[in-house]
Amino acid sequence: MPTRMQASQGRGAPFLTACSLLPPWWTVPVGPPGAEDSSCGLCCPRAGGPRLPHPFAYSACLEVAMLMLLVFGILLHGISLSSQEEASPEAHGIPGEPLFNYASIRLPEEHIPFFLHNNGHIAKVCKKDSHCPYKKHLENLKYCWGYEDSCRPEFRFSYPVCTYVDMRWTDTLESAQDTFWNQADFGYAGARLRELRVLCQPEQTSDSSLVCSRYLQHCRAANLYLDLRNIRRNHDRFKEDFFQTGQIGGHCKLDVRALMSEGQRKSPLQSWFAELQSYTQLNFRPVEDAQCDVVVEKPAYFMKLDAGVNMYHHFCDFLNLYITQHVSNSFSTDVYIVMWDTSSYGYGDLFSDTWKAFTDYDVIPLKTYDSKRVCFKEAIFSLLPRMRYGLFYNTPLISGCQNTGLFRAFSQHVLYRLNVTQEGPKNGKMRVTILARSTEYRKILNQNELLNALKTVSTFEVQVVDYKYKELGFLDQLKITHNTDIFIGMHGAGLTHLLFLPDWAAVFELYNCGDERCYLDLARLRGVYYITWQRQNKVFPQDKGHHPTLGEHPKFTNYSFDVEEFMYLVLQAADHVSQHPKWPLKKQHDEL
């Protein structure tokens, strides 16, 4: 491995004031006495934003602003983190060439105005650049995801829909909508932003820094030092005492009390507290004093991963990485993903193609750096897959609400980056996909009988698929799912594919095996129609089930289903699809 990983170079530095580079919640200018409107005033945090430990004099304006930028790892308001080519509103490119590498943005067309809202430097260049492909979006710069302080409610990406009030949570539809927004939509990202606090304060621009959200569920570090020369590995993937004092840290003023107060949710997949509790205030500058065997120049996302063989659990990893990108205001793929694993084992990943939506490089196991002192110029500790009140594993959700913009945007983002496109529907047909199981349990015993019944409907185009990774690659699986209008399957991780159904689609969990909330809630989050079997006298288990330790269990047997009841439910799903405002054949469809 080379001793220094080089980051891509930009075309030039923006001619922007230090204050203007700060994110929205830092941009209240306060000048010296008698100069309240001065553009070179001290940049002070707004109420609710992160606060530095002590005030600074006006004479230190520029230095303070740069320190603030360093603390939050957002030098040039996210350009440094994203490693996207820097853009200057004053730049004059070579005639005939664009002033910015717009292809590096790589976002769905629908997301572009929201990206430009948060990256005003790129919007300014686009206005001046005749080659900019996004000029039509410059009229919509008020559009926003919803977590920005500058975001007006009417310009949010979307609003959840609530049809009734869950009195256990609130008493009005409006407050129900707000509750759901904050639980599982972009309001959740906003809450993480507002929680950020400085735990290790830099005193010079070459210093380190550490900024974290509550309970250390997400952190940002600059010039992070890791000493892995004497690391001991065993079978434990998330060893709590992996680092000792002095083996992880940075050159900054550490607030030990504040750091140690965040340990209430110390748990492998809920917090980074175990990994950062040994963070040390070092007496040397790791990079500047040449104390690193390896310097990682590109931004690096640290992730503790859930089960890579289970789509439901693994996509909690990917969703939380996507939320972390929003919190960091960077969607660049010119970044590293470092898998934080303290064991000596490998990691089985059946969905590794998905990483291409987030990075241009192979995932790097932490053990790659063993026996070395490694310094990360920019390190981002990603939100984790099993956080209490996190997303989406066991998330407590208010009932009666559905359709989060966050999950829809995640679906669009992944599909766009993986080049999975919508290719239909065609010939006036509604595409029905049955997800078969080749596992020992939860098989559909009369699957052929159900299939033959579906084929009697002339407007159905029916297929049966078995998403076995050895026979059908994950990208091919996604292409089938995204080109399905009614998705039918037994309870199981394969139903996580509902995240990538088109907006008008319906998912039919044929039988939930007593786990009523799992895929119902996931469908609500994604915003697709959900139905499941209701009449217990028309479903026929093979036996009472045979859990290895718990005995009788409905998930550990196979099932047959009443054909007439099955068709009734499928036609109910078809009616929803045909009436959906986004259904491409809505005007033509009348047979169902």
Side-chain angles (χ1 to χ4, degrees):
M1 176 178 293
T3 58
R4 184 172 290 265
M5 299 182 180
Q6 297 293 339
S8 60
Q9 298 298 313
R11 293 188 176 181
F15 296 97
L16 300 175
T17 67
C19 286
S20 70
L21 295 174
L22 292 167
W25 30 264
W26 282 96
T27 53
V28 180
V30 180
E36 295 182 358
D37 296 328
S38 171
S39 62
C40 194
L42 179 63
C43 297
C44 300
R46 289 178 178 172
R51 294 188 176 275
L52 293 177
H54 53 79
F56 294 86
Y58 168 70
S59 61
C61 172
L62 181 58
E63 181 180 355
V64 171
M66 294 305 292
L67 284 174
M68 291 177 184
L69 292 166
L70 177 62
V71 168
F72 287 90
I74 52 171
L75 191 57
L76 305 182
H77 192 40
I79 303 176
S80 177
L81 173 64
S82 67
S83 294
Q84 290 173 342
E85 292 190 82
E86 297 170 2
S88 169
E90 312 295 334
H92 296 283
I94 300 173
E97 290 192 4
L99 300 178
F100 180 76
N101 180 16
Y102 301 103
S104 68
I105 296 175
R106 292 186 60 215
L107 292 175
E109 191 76 11
E110 184 180 349
H111 296 188
I112 295 299
F114 304 90
F115 173 82
L116 294 176
H117 176 94
N118 287 328
N119 293 274
H121 56 286
I122 298 177
K124 289 178 181 178
V125 171
C126 184
K127 288 179 182 179
K128 296 175 178 290
D129 188 356
S130 61
H131 298 281
C132 178
Y134 301 131
K135 286 193 176 291
K136 66 179 180 181
H137 297 296
L138 296 176
E139 299 177 359
N140 299 317
L141 293 183
K142 292 182 180 180
Y143 288 7
C144 46
W145 297 110
Y147 50 73
E148 307 92 337
D149 281 350
S150 58
C151 186
R152 291 166 56 183
E154 63 266 31
F155 294 113
R156 284 183 185 176
F157 181 69
S158 70
Y159 269 93
V161 176
C162 299
T163 54
Y164 65 87
V165 176
D166 183 346
M167 299 301 292
R168 296 170 300 174
W169 292 89
T170 186
D171 56 1
T172 68
L173 276 176
E174 183 178 6
S175 60
Q177 188 180 49
D178 288 339
T179 298
F180 193 63
W181 163 265
N182 288 306
Q183 285 177 334
D185 210 329
F186 283 115
Y188 177 85
R192 306 291 77 75
L193 269 170
R194 291 189 295 273
E195 289 174 356
L196 290 174
R197 62 186 295 198
V198 181
L199 297 180
C200 201
Q201 169 69 53
E203 296 183 344
Q204 295 185 26
T205 55
S206 59
D207 279 352
S208 307
S209 65
L210 180 66
V211 180
C212 295
S213 65
R214 196 176 182 190
Y215 308 121
L216 274 60
Q217 292 179 327
H218 159 66
C219 294
R220 297 275 300 278
N223 295 325
L224 177 68
Y225 174 82
L226 300 183
D227 186 350
L228 292 98
R229 290 177 295 180
N230 299 301
I231 291 300
R232 296 182 179 180
R233 295 184 178 274
N234 54 24
H235 63 280
D236 191 347
R237 289 198 178 275
F238 308 115
K239 190 177 179 182
E240 292 189 353
D241 59 350
F242 188 65
F243 283 117
Q244 306 301 314
T245 300
Q247 292 181 323
I248 180 171
H251 188 273
C252 46
K253 187 176 180 181
L254 180 64
D255 188 338
V256 177
R257 178 176 293 183
L259 175 65
M260 300 309 293
S261 70
E262 299 291 353
Q264 297 95 320
R265 295 187 183 176
K266 179 182 178 181
S267 181
L269 295 179
Q270 291 199 45
S271 167
W272 289 99
F273 183 82
E275 289 73 23
L276 293 172
Q277 62 183 340
S278 297
Y279 188 97
T280 305
Q281 178 175 319
L282 303 176
N283 59 8
F284 58 88
R285 291 183 173 85
V287 178
E288 194 172 82
D289 296 344
Q291 296 297 308
C292 317
D293 300 311
V294 177
V295 176
V296 181
E297 300 274 0
K298 295 183 189 295
Y301 287 81
F302 290 118
M303 298 186 67
K304 292 189 288 187
L305 301 179
D306 208 333
V309 297
N310 181 292
M311 187 176 179
Y312 181 87
H313 291 292
H314 201 12
F315 269 78
C316 288
D317 297 318
F318 294 121
L319 177 77
N320 280 284
L321 175 57
Y322 180 66
I323 300 172
T324 302
Q325 288 184 318
H326 275 277
V327 174
S328 302
N329 188 32
S330 174
F331 302 95
S332 172
T333 53
D334 190 20
V335 299
Y336 294 127
I337 305 293
V338 178
M339 183 177 65
W340 194 288
D341 186 338
T342 60
S343 75
S344 56
Y345 300 144
Y347 180 78
D349 192 344
L350 304 186
F351 310 97
S352 57
D353 285 329
T354 312
W355 291 115
K356 297 173 186 176
F358 300 98
T359 178
D360 296 329
Y361 312 100
D362 291 337
V363 174
I364 304 171
L366 185 63
K367 63 184 178 183
T368 302
Y369 302 112
D370 281 4
S371 76
K372 300 179 181 69
R373 297 168 301 171
V374 189
C375 297
F376 294 85
K377 288 288 193 71
E378 297 178 71
I380 305 96
F381 294 80
S382 180
L383 290 162
L384 294 159
R386 296 202 186 197
M387 297 179 298
R388 193 181 308 174
Y389 304 110
L391 292 170
F392 49 85
Y393 177 80
N394 282 344
T395 303
L397 291 175
I398 186 172
S399 297
C401 300
Q402 64 177 0
N403 194 23
T404 72
L406 172 59
F407 278 74
R408 180 164 65 89
F410 169 72
S411 177
Q412 292 170 334
H413 183 84
V414 171
L415 292 169
Y416 180 83
R417 289 259 171 111
L418 298 182
N419 197 30
V420 176
T421 58
Q422 180 57 240
E423 299 172 357
K426 298 176 181 178
N427 304 319
K429 300 284 188 178
M430 189 173 292
R431 301 160 297 180
V432 181
T433 299
I434 297 178
L435 181 60
R437 292 176 63 90
S438 54
T439 55
E440 184 176 359
Y441 300 116
R442 279 172 273 158
K443 292 179 182 177
I444 305 171
L445 296 176
N446 63 332
Q447 180 172 289
N448 288 336
E449 190 177 7
L450 302 183
L451 177 62
N452 290 333
L454 288 172
K455 289 180 178 179
T456 63
V457 181
S458 62
T459 51
F460 282 172
E461 180 180 283
V462 187
Q463 64 178 330
V464 177
V465 297
D466 189 340
Y467 285 166
K468 293 188 287 188
Y469 72 96
K470 290 184 178 180
E471 299 179 8
L472 191 65
F474 184 60
L475 290 183
D476 291 326
Q477 295 177 23
L478 284 184
K479 290 174 183 176
I480 293 172
T481 301
H482 189 54
N483 285 281
T484 291
D485 305 313
I486 301 175
F487 192 67
I488 304 172
M490 290 290 291
H491 178 87
L495 286 182
T496 309
H497 272 273
L498 68 85
L499 290 172
F500 303 104
L501 290 169
D503 291 345
W504 59 77
V507 58
F508 179 6
E509 183 175 17
L510 195 49
Y511 193 60
N512 61 37
C513 301
D515 192 347
E516 298 179 359
R517 303 303 310 184
C518 184
Y519 295 103
L520 165 61
D521 284 345
L522 194 59
R524 289 204 291 137
L525 292 168
R526 171 59 185 89
V528 294
Y529 184 72
Y530 171 92
I531 57 172
T532 189
W533 202 271
Q534 297 294 335
R535 302 181 67 176
Q536 296 297 315
N537 64 332
K538 292 184 177 292
V539 56
F540 311 104
Q542 189 176 35
D543 50 40
K544 293 184 178 180
H546 307 283
H547 189 277
T549 59
L550 300 178
E552 296 179 1
H553 197 290
K555 291 185 181 180
F556 291 82
T557 188
N558 302 304
Y559 293 86
S560 297
F561 297 89
D562 180 85
V563 176
E564 184 177 349
E565 181 68 11
F566 169 78
M567 289 302 298
Y568 170 78
L569 292 170
V570 172
L571 292 174
Q572 180 180 322
D575 183 63
H576 167 83
V577 171
S578 66
Q579 298 302 318
H580 195 282
K582 291 187 178 181
W583 169 238
L585 304 180
K586 180 173 173 54
K587 293 182 180 180
Q588 307 171 26
H589 191 78
D590 57 8
E591 292 186 44
L592 290 173

